Amino acid sequence: MSDKHSPKLDDEIAHETQGMVRGGHPTHAEEFKETEPFSDDAPADPTRAAADDREGSPPGMSAQDVEGRSSLARMLTGVRYPARPNELIRHAAEGGAPDDAVEQLRTLPKREYENVADVAEELGYGREERRY
């Protein structure tokens, strides 16, 4: 029994591998040699720009608003809404929130709050403007 291919099959294989033999397209083994794209831009200096000038704050909110709302959301994780101020205060205190954060919650008007954004707005963190 012969382990050679037919002349027709040999021609097909030669045609399929022609690009690799001549160096047309890189093979998987050669892909690692390609350089990754890079940028000539200087890296951002986080100490240079004020927090208000940073990108990423939604319209209607400053960077401090976003950070404050984020901290508030972490502190109130697990609260069932709608919630009243006494529920928010109890949850934060039992969760080990800092005293100043609990005191801030004590300033909330006595009403039901629908969600963290509602609480944050009442505390003066601003409210994100809807984008359409």
Side-chain angles (χ1 to χ4, degrees):
M1 186 176 256
S2 172
D3 58 359
K4 291 193 173 219
H5 304 194
S6 69
K8 182 179 178 186
L9 184 58
D10 286 341
D11 288 343
E12 288 177 15
I13 293 171
H15 180 72
E16 289 175 3
T17 59
Q18 189 174 21
M20 290 185 280
V21 173
R22 290 190 181 169
H25 297 289
T27 64
H28 290 293
E30 294 170 334
E31 287 178 359
F32 76 94
K33 295 178 184 177
E34 295 177 13
T35 59
E36 292 189 20
F38 65 95
S39 172
D40 289 333
D41 296 341
D45 180 3
T47 61
R48 198 180 95 217
D52 285 338
D53 296 338
R54 291 194 330 216
E55 294 180 18
S57 298
M61 296 183 75
S62 70
Q64 286 93 355
D65 289 341
V66 172
E67 290 172 18
R69 185 176 70 173
S70 177
S71 176
L72 181 68
R74 285 190 302 272
M75 182 174 66
L76 297 179
T77 297
V79 169
R80 290 180 166 229
Y81 293 94
R84 299 197 62 79
N86 60 339
E87 297 170 77
L88 301 172
I89 293 164
R90 182 176 45 246
H91 183 84
E94 289 174 358
D99 292 339
D100 59 329
V102 174
E103 287 305 314
Q104 190 178 26
L105 291 174
R106 290 186 198 282
T107 67
L108 289 170
K110 308 285 188 238
R111 67 174 181 89
E112 283 194 339
Y113 293 89
E114 296 298 316
N115 51 37
V116 172
D118 193 14
V119 176
E121 183 179 21
E122 190 69 53
L123 292 174
Y125 290 117
R127 188 167 191 92
E128 182 176 348
E129 295 173 6
R130 292 195 174 255
R131 299 177 222 184
Y132 294 100

